[in-house]
Amino acid sequence: MRRCLPLALATLFVTGCSSRRAELYQDPTAPLEARVESALALMTLDEKLEQMHGDLAIARRGLSGTADNTRLGIPGFIMVDGMRGLGVAMGKATTFPVGAARGATFDPELEELVGQAIGAEARARGANVLLAPTMNLLRHPRWGRAQETYGEDPWHVGLMAEAFVRGAQREVIASAKHFALNSIEDTRLTVSVGADERTLRELYLPHFERVVMAGVGSVMAAYNQVNGSYCAESTHLLGDILRGAWGFDGFVVSDWVFAMHDTTASAVAGLDLEMPVPVYYGQALTDAVHAGRVTVAVIDDAVRRILRQKLRFGLLDGRPALAPQAVGESAAHTALARRVAEESIVLLANLDGTLPLDAATTRRLAVVGALASQVNLGDHGSSDTTSSQPVTPLAGLQARTAGALELVDLGRDVLTPDDLAALASADAAVVVVGLTAADESEAMTGTGDRESLALAPAHEALVAQVAAVVPKTIVVVEGSGPVLVESFVDEIGALLTVFYPGVEGGTALAAVLFGDVDPSGRLPFTWPRAESQLPPFVNDQPVVTYDLLHGYRYVDAQGGDPRFPFGFGASYTTFSLHDLRLDAATLAPDGTLHLSVAVTNTGARAGADVVQAYVAYPGSRVTRAPRELKAFARVSLAPGETKTLDLDINARDLAYWDVATGAFVVEPLTYEVAVGHSSRDLPLWTSFEVAP
Ligand code: BGC
């Protein structure tokens, strides 16, 4: 891809860029803000306005980006999606498990590697902005893009997204999306999400604040409205909170095509960049400036924010490109995708040790269902990827068993009498069911939101049919999140969810089924018995209301009994928690509590546990969720091994938003901390005070 050489180089080599004497902005050793001001001072108004919109010529090439300023040697942006891998616009890429699967790893260190890998693949193809991570809270699992995000809890989503951003930004600028409260597909372009200030500050925004504090270069304004204002023109979201309270100095980009509605309103609110082509910016913004509706100061601020990130990320400083073959679908990235898939698979039920399968005694293994041999990497919307050799469940099992046992391929959803006869002699059956892009997806490119949480009747019937014949029936669910399993969960031997597990999904599944790898994924959302256990999902109304309770917060407040709670996942081994200690009984309102807990692998196999700490606020002066996740740590343990984990809890993260004063307040209270393996399995308990 042709890029304009930085001016310092352009003066030495003959290029399409004009030559000038060296200016301060061209000096990589000069202070960042001085460079920004130097570049801005040299730009004409037209050049400034050109920084603020996507370029039609790039769009015509099927890409997204902004124009190079060849006169000054300021490259434009080249942007690409990258939630589970580099977007299809840039060719083949390593396809990682989707965000929901990566959320299930509860492993920010691993997520940082994923962020860096996707960032490197983007950079190798000439992109400098990665349109990821998707980090909206999973308000309800019927959301069509549920697969892209990390889960329902803001603390957990924040840590995972921060890790992704840290990794990705070693290579390119990340764009955290979609700011904010974007968690319905069918009405996403127009819906107004109502949320009071506590709901915003305590639940729907803290994870965005975390990535801003971690230095994310860009934030994408969502399509929807919040409290009656489109996000791309919300002075409250973009002005008061993002730039005001959090001090964000990166640029805000519009979501594609339909996010903006008014030139002046967006410019004044601080929407810096319209993508992918100028509709409300470009000529319309030029006119608004000439008519005095938008001041040059507003334009200067937007351009400063854009230039700041271009300079910060070395776009003007001749950073060498990575060779595409060095990173795209490399062996290292494929191995990483496999490790992520292995860590993300959640074992939900395992009756009488159905799993792991014993390779010595399993002679005939039936593999059932059309999805067993179908490539199912997720949505075909903006998170879509192109992958060379995705491993299906059947292919993974074939490779793992390689002639050592008989695999009976029943890769269809409607079984014939011959199939049933073949099943009768199987020692075990793996039935793959669940969701595809035809069931859940981004709106405009597919179905949108799920119609219900039910599994397709054909899949329920298939499971029942197999379970009636094969005692060791292992059901593997693909998809973004929960499906209702009540009709068969007590009739089968084992249940796992693999999400959309990426290019190495089948390999990882086979490794888990045969016990080469301990299943160590934990649910990053609540898995209900019935949809009535969750708050209503309203995806056909112009206005919806979000409040402080959804997911486990809602189920806990209702006293409900979910099928599988948030944070749950079984293992082939067992873990015991002991010796919970706090380093102090009293915490200062701006302090950090150090909590330590020992975990022992009490079983006979190696495994990984995810230890979780939840805080409760008995006697709080405001309504709170019964308990909230405030710390977690993943740990791998050999049989009999014990490790002590350190979990920190910041007082600031226990605060509520005080509506009267417009500030966070850490209440003087006796806080309870419960520690365990899920939001409902909390064997250890202690408490501490925050002094007045
Ligand atoms: C999606 C964004 C995406 C953009 C560019 C939009 O429709 O909502 O997530 O980054 O398209 O593909």
Side-chain angles (χ1 to χ4, degrees):
M1 184 173 310
R2 190 193 68 80
R3 311 296 298 160
C4 184
L5 278 180
L7 235 74
L9 293 177
T11 51
L12 298 176
F13 303 103
V14 179
T15 71
C17 306
S18 67
S19 66
R20 305 170 47 94
R21 68 186 172 79
E23 299 285 352
L24 186 63
Y25 76 90
Q26 297 162 334
D27 176 2
T29 64
L32 178 64
E33 292 306 316
R35 295 183 76 189
V36 170
E37 293 308 322
S38 151
L40 189 69
L42 292 167
M43 295 176 101
T44 64
L45 180 62
D46 284 348
E47 285 175 325
K48 291 175 186 172
L49 292 166
E50 190 190 43
Q51 294 285 314
M52 294 177 64
H53 62 78
D55 182 51
L56 196 54
I58 296 175
R60 287 204 179 104
R61 301 204 316 261
L63 297 172
S64 291
T66 63
D68 293 334
N69 180 325
T70 49
R71 184 180 77 87
L72 294 172
I74 299 174
F77 290 127
I78 293 292
M79 303 183 165
V80 65
D81 282 298
M83 234 350 258
R84 62 176 193 250
L86 197 62
V88 286
M90 289 203 163
K92 288 187 176 167
T94 310
T95 299
F96 290 90
V98 292
R102 289 169 7 231
T105 67
F106 280 71
D107 191 343
E109 282 173 28
L110 189 61
E111 185 60 6
E112 187 169 336
L113 298 179
V114 173
Q116 182 159 8
I118 298 176
E121 294 197 18
R123 187 174 150 212
R125 303 270 178 181
N128 45 33
V129 178
L130 187 67
L131 305 170
T134 299
M135 50 180 296
N136 298 102
L137 283 199
L138 184 68
R139 164 84 181 170
H140 195 288
R142 279 177 51 199
W143 178 32
R145 296 179 80 171
Q147 62 192 269
E148 288 183 48
T149 194
Y150 298 106
E152 72 181 34
D153 179 82
W155 175 260
H156 164 262
V157 170
L159 285 172
M160 299 302 292
E162 179 189 15
F164 181 95
V165 167
R166 213 171 25 243
Q169 291 205 153
R170 291 205 189 93
E171 308 290 347
V172 290
I173 302 169
S175 190
K177 67 190 190 184
H178 312 80
F179 191 68
L181 292 89
N182 176 178
S183 42
I184 299 170
E185 274 311 280
D186 291 358
T187 51
R188 69 174 178 168
L189 299 184
T190 51
V191 66
S192 179
V193 182
D196 63 29
E197 206 59 21
R198 278 196 65 203
T199 302
L200 285 178
R201 306 276 186 155
E202 294 177 35
L203 212 63
Y204 286 92
L205 300 182
H207 42 301
F208 280 103
E209 181 179 7
R210 182 174 277 277
V211 296
V212 166
M213 295 307 161
V216 75
S218 169
V219 165
M220 186 188 290
Y223 288 128
N224 52 284
Q225 307 181 57
V226 171
N227 293 325
S229 291
Y230 281 105
C231 291
E233 54 193 55
S234 167
T235 51
H236 190 46
L237 286 178
L238 304 184
D240 302 341
I241 298 178
L242 182 64
R243 298 232 165 79
W246 305 344
F248 177 62
D249 67 359
F251 63 91
V252 176
V253 57
S254 71
D255 201 344
W256 264 229
V257 186
F258 304 108
M260 290 174 63
H261 301 266
D262 184 283
T263 302
T264 306
S266 279
V268 170
L271 189 287
D272 303 313
L273 177 50
E274 179 183 26
M275 289 300 293
V277 291
V279 177
Y280 290 95
Y281 283 2
Q283 189 56 48
L285 185 54
T286 307
D287 294 346
V289 173
H290 290 315
R293 292 192 297 275
V294 175
T295 63
V296 173
V298 162
I299 302 299
D300 282 353
D301 279 346
V303 177
R304 270 191 193 98
R305 293 190 282 257
I306 291 167
L307 291 174
R308 184 177 294 125
Q309 299 310 316
K310 288 185 175 179
L311 286 161
R312 177 180 159 216
F313 283 85
L315 268 60
L316 277 72
D317 301 331
R319 204 173 168 203
L322 292 171
Q325 64 274 20
V327 287
E329 296 194 299
S330 66
H333 286 185
T334 304
L336 179 62
R338 175 179 172 173
R339 190 179 145 207
V340 178
E342 287 173 353
E343 283 197 21
S344 70
I345 293 174
V346 187
L347 177 62
L348 295 165
N350 192 15
L351 190 73
D352 300 331
T354 299
L355 291 175
L357 290 170
D358 182 350
T361 57
T362 310
R363 303 257 169 261
R364 271 168 71 83
L365 177 64
V367 185
V368 189
L371 281 180
S373 50
Q374 188 173 318
V375 172
N376 194 15
L377 300 175
D379 185 12
H380 300 315
S382 59
S383 66
D384 202 6
T385 50
T386 314
S387 188
S388 295
Q389 287 183 311
V391 182
T392 62
L394 178 65
L397 284 164
Q398 281 166 337
R400 171 61 179 77
T401 55
L405 56 80
E406 189 188 347
L407 272 192
V408 185
D409 175 6
L410 302 177
R412 46 202 155 265
D413 289 343
V414 179
L415 299 179
T416 64
D418 284 352
D419 293 342
L420 289 170
L423 272 175
S425 60
D427 299 309
V430 176
V431 189
V432 186
V433 292
L435 310 171
T436 70
D439 304 297
E440 53 176 355
S441 73
E442 193 171 338
M444 296 186 295
T445 49
T447 349
D449 301 314
R450 269 201 269 170
E451 278 172 24
S452 84
L453 294 182
L455 200 52
H459 283 182
E460 287 207 0
L462 182 68
V463 172
Q465 235 180 345
V466 179
V469 184
V470 188
K472 276 196 176 191
T473 294
I474 299 146
V475 176
V476 174
V477 175
E478 295 185 339
S480 66
V483 294
L484 303 182
V485 295
E486 298 312 298
S487 72
F488 59 79
V489 69
D490 294 329
E491 314 298 325
I492 59 177
L495 178 68
L496 306 97
T497 185
V498 297
F499 306 93
Y500 296 107
V503 62
E504 282 285 283
T507 318
L509 174 65
V512 166
L513 293 180
F514 281 95
D516 312 331
V517 168
D518 187 51
S520 60
R522 303 291 185 263
L523 290 178
F525 44 71
T526 302
W527 191 300
R529 291 172 194 272
E531 204 166 322
S532 57
Q533 286 190 321
L534 300 179
F537 181 63
V538 183
N539 60 338
D540 59 356
Q541 299 293 313
V543 178
V544 298
T545 303
Y546 286 7
D547 58 20
L548 287 167
L549 300 177
H550 72 283
Y552 71 84
R553 290 168 167 80
Y554 181 86
V555 179
D556 289 352
Q558 303 280 316
D561 177 26
R563 168 51 65 183
F564 304 115
F566 175 89
F568 171 75
S571 160
Y572 295 150
T573 186
T574 48
F575 301 99
S576 100
L577 291 170
H578 48 101
D579 293 305
L580 174 62
R581 296 208 173 90
L582 301 182
D583 69 341
T586 310
L587 178 62
D590 58 353
T592 299
L593 187 76
H594 303 286
L595 185 146
S596 73
V597 62
V599 52
T600 302
N601 180 346
T602 47
R605 308 174 70 98
D609 194 16
V610 175
V611 178
Q612 302 157 41
Y614 295 80
V615 172
Y617 318 84
S620 172
R621 58 174 86 110
V622 293
T623 308
R624 305 267 197 145
R627 71 185 76 87
E628 297 184 303
L629 182 72
K630 292 297 171 191
F632 63 84
R634 186 187 168 91
V635 59
S636 295
L637 294 166
E641 190 182 8
T642 297
K643 281 184 186 161
T644 298
L645 306 177
D646 295 314
L647 302 171
D648 283 353
I649 295 180
N650 293 317
R652 163 71 171 74
D653 294 322
L654 310 177
Y656 72 88
W657 179 260
D658 185 39
V659 185
T661 57
F664 276 106
V665 172
V666 182
E667 271 183 284
L669 208 64
T670 302
Y671 292 83
E672 294 178 357
V673 195
V675 176
H677 307 284
S678 82
S679 60
R680 287 298 175 93
D681 174 13
L682 297 166
L684 301 183
W685 181 93
T686 185
S687 64
F688 63 92
E689 310 270 329
V690 168

